[in-house]
Every structure is written in structure tokens, then in C-alpha cells.
Amino acid sequence: MDLETQIGRVGVLPYVGIGVVSGLFAAMFGIGGGIVIVPLLILITKMPARMAAATSLATLILTSLMGVIRYSGSGHIDWVAALVIGTPAVVGVLIGIRFQKRLPAEWLILGFGLFVVAIGLKLVFAL
Amino acid sequence: MLLDATTLSLAIACGVAAGVLAGLFGVGGGIIFVPTLVIIFSFHQLDAQATSLAAIIPVALIGAWRQNTEHLVYWRGAVIMGVGAAFGVLIGAEFALRLPEATLSRVFGMVLLLVGGEMIISSIRKLQAKRAAAN
């Protein structure tokens, strides 16, 4: 799908709404990034699955940056620990994207659905 | 922070796993980062959440950059959602103080079960239709 036709079709409002909902959930449940953004992009804006995942990552640059600014100076951020888990994760994200390229969209959505159900079960049963 | 060989290798394994999920599904990885920091590094919940945000930044940056080389990132939408999220956090912080957390988490969990279930069913239907069309 062409990038620019995307906004022409659904307008700005769905994106504002999805952003607000993801922030709301992040503040209320501590979970609110891609797990909220990706399904809503697919359901509401009809964005293809890979594009939804990619766009979600771009949104997370902003939201995590804002979060870090909010916490900076509070002493809650351990930069060494962030580096220890963040560096291997950068390698992981490239592996994940490479894998995603080979995966048909239906399998990607199926995998994401299983992932979302797992998180749902964790929250419902307070595991 | 105590860093022996076991802790380090566990942290690296969890980091890679979080990254793979991030790349595959477009999530930040916090869902793995936070429990990793709490369980392996014995962090308090708030410290774990704040540190997880810092770890997400490079993951989201490199991931979005990589996907952008294939024109998969809709930047305008991403920026609008980012601004919306900033407002959402402010509103959510108000609610979180007033409502019982356990009930909230359960309700959210049920919403996720519905959304995830819908995704599983619709993708299986599409796979079946594809298979039927191929035969």
C-alpha cells in the first residue's frame, strides 16, 4: 500500500485516538506500546501487518524517549542495566525483522494474536 | 547491580528474545525487559519500568530505521500517535490513582483476549481460504 494514501483514507483522528489509548493504557497498566498500537492500526486503519509493526516501532522511539525524559534525574533509570539488555535486543530486533520478511501476513497476524492472548491470560489471572 | 557470568548470559538471552519480539511484532520489548530486570537483576517495579524505557530507545530506533529502508514506516502516523500518547499518559495517570489496579488489569486482560482471539480466528480463516483456493 502506498504510504501517503494511508492518511488520505482514514484521516488524522484514528491516529490521535490510537496514540491516546496507548498512552492511557501505558500509564494505567504499564503495558501500552505496540501491544495496543499494532492491533488497533490493523483493525481501524486497515494498515497491512508489517507496516503496522514498523510504524509502531517508530512511535515507540517517541514514547520511550518521552518516558526517559520524565524519569531522568529521578534515579529510577539504571543506564548500565539498560545497556546490558538493550544491546543484545538491538541484535534481536534485526533478527526479528529478517524473520518477519519471510513470514506470510496471515502467519504474522496469527503469531501476534497468540502473543496478545498470552499477555491477556497473564493479566486476567494475575500471573 | 551484580553481574556474574550466569546473570550476564541470562540477561543477554532475554535481551535478544525481547529484540526478536520487537522486530517481529512491532512491540518495544518492555514485556520481556521489565520481568527480566525484576527477576534477574532484582529491580523494583518502578526502576525496572524506567530502565526498560531506556533500553527500548535503541531497539525502536534501529528497528524503525531498518524497516524504513523498505518504506514500511508511516512516519506521519507515528508522530501523531506519539503526541497522542503523551496526552494519554497524563489522563491515564489520573485514572490509575482513582481505580483499583487489580480490577483494571483484569479488564484490560479480557480486552486483550478478545482482540488476540479475533486476530487468531481471522488469520486462520484467511489461511483456510488460501488453502481452499490453492486446491
Side-chain angles (χ1 to χ4, degrees), chain B residues 47-73:
Chain B
D47 295 348
Q49 283 182 9
T51 302
S52 160
L53 282 170
I56 288 169
I57 294 176
V59 176
L61 259 175
I62 301 288
W65 163 78
R66 181 72 191 81
Q67 295 283 43
N68 190 52
T69 60
E70 295 188 50
H71 310 288
L72 285 168
V73 178

Side-chain angles (χ1 to χ4, degrees), chain A residues 21-78:
Chain A
V21 168
S22 83
L24 205 70
F25 284 7
M28 294 195 319
F29 313 110
I31 298 170
I35 194 111
V36 174
I37 294 171
V38 175
L40 289 180
L41 280 178
I42 295 173
L43 291 174
I44 298 173
T45 74
K46 309 286 177 205
M47 204 181 258
R50 283 192 67 199
M51 198 172 151
T55 302
S56 166
L57 277 182
T59 307
L60 296 179
I61 302 173
L62 270 177
T63 51
S64 52
L65 208 59
M66 289 189 289
V68 165
I69 291 168
R70 193 160 50 104
Y71 282 117
S72 66
S74 68
H76 288 299
I77 300 175
D78 186 325

Side-chain angles (χ1 to χ4, degrees), chain A residues 104-107 110, chain B residues 119-135:
Chain A
E106 295 83 13
W107 286 101
L110 180 62
Chain B
M119 293 179 102
I120 292 170
I121 292 165
S122 73
S123 57
I124 288 176
R125 282 212 182 116
K126 276 184 190 154
L127 283 170
Q128 282 175 337
K130 242 187 184 178
R131 192 161 296 172
N135 285 336

Side-chain angles (χ1 to χ4, degrees), chain A residues 1 3-4 6-8 12 14-16 18-39 41-43 47 50-68 70-71 74-101 103-126, chain B residues 1 3 7-8 11-29 31 33-37 41 43 46-68 70-93 95-96 99 101-124 126-127 130-131:
Chain A
M1 184 179 294
L3 284 174
E4 288 310 311
Q6 191 74 36
I7 203 160
V12 173
Y15 293 96
V16 177
I18 293 170
V20 171
V21 168
S22 83
L24 205 70
F25 284 7
M28 294 195 319
F29 313 110
I31 298 170
I35 194 111
V36 174
I37 294 171
V38 175
L41 280 178
I42 295 173
L43 291 174
M47 204 181 258
R50 283 192 67 199
M51 198 172 151
T55 302
S56 166
L57 277 182
T59 307
L60 296 179
I61 302 173
L62 270 177
T63 51
S64 52
L65 208 59
M66 289 189 289
V68 165
R70 193 160 50 104
Y71 282 117
S74 68
H76 288 299
I77 300 175
D78 186 325
W79 294 100
V80 177
L83 206 68
V84 168
I85 55 171
T87 310
V90 168
V91 177
V93 80
L94 295 172
I95 298 170
I97 289 171
R98 180 164 285 224
F99 187 50
Q100 186 202 57
K101 268 166 88 168
L103 214 58
E106 295 83 13
W107 286 101
L108 185 61
I109 296 175
L110 180 62
F112 193 85
L114 290 171
F115 174 63
V116 170
V117 164
I119 311 292
L121 287 174
K122 178 181 178 300
L123 288 174
V124 169
F125 296 105
Chain B
M1 195 176 61
L3 263 188
T7 315
L8 190 63
I12 290 172
C14 291
V16 172
V20 170
L21 275 184
L24 201 52
F25 298 138
V27 299
I31 204 85
F33 283 150
V34 174
T36 300
L37 290 167
F41 290 107
F43 272 39
L46 189 59
D47 295 348
Q49 283 182 9
T51 302
S52 160
L53 282 170
I56 288 169
I57 294 176
V59 176
L61 259 175
I62 301 288
W65 163 78
R66 181 72 191 81
Q67 295 283 43
N68 190 52
E70 295 188 50
H71 310 288
L72 285 168
V73 178
Y74 181 46
W75 290 104
R76 277 175 70 183
V79 171
I80 296 167
M81 287 191 289
V83 174
F87 285 101
V89 166
L90 292 177
I91 306 166
F95 272 115
L99 294 167
E101 195 182 345
T103 317
L104 273 179
S105 292
R106 277 220 174 121
V107 172
F108 182 45
M110 283 175 206
V111 173
L112 287 182
L113 287 181
L114 285 176
V115 172
E118 202 281 328
M119 293 179 102
I120 292 170
I121 292 165
S122 73
S123 57
I124 288 176
K126 276 184 190 154
L127 283 170
K130 242 187 184 178
R131 192 161 296 172

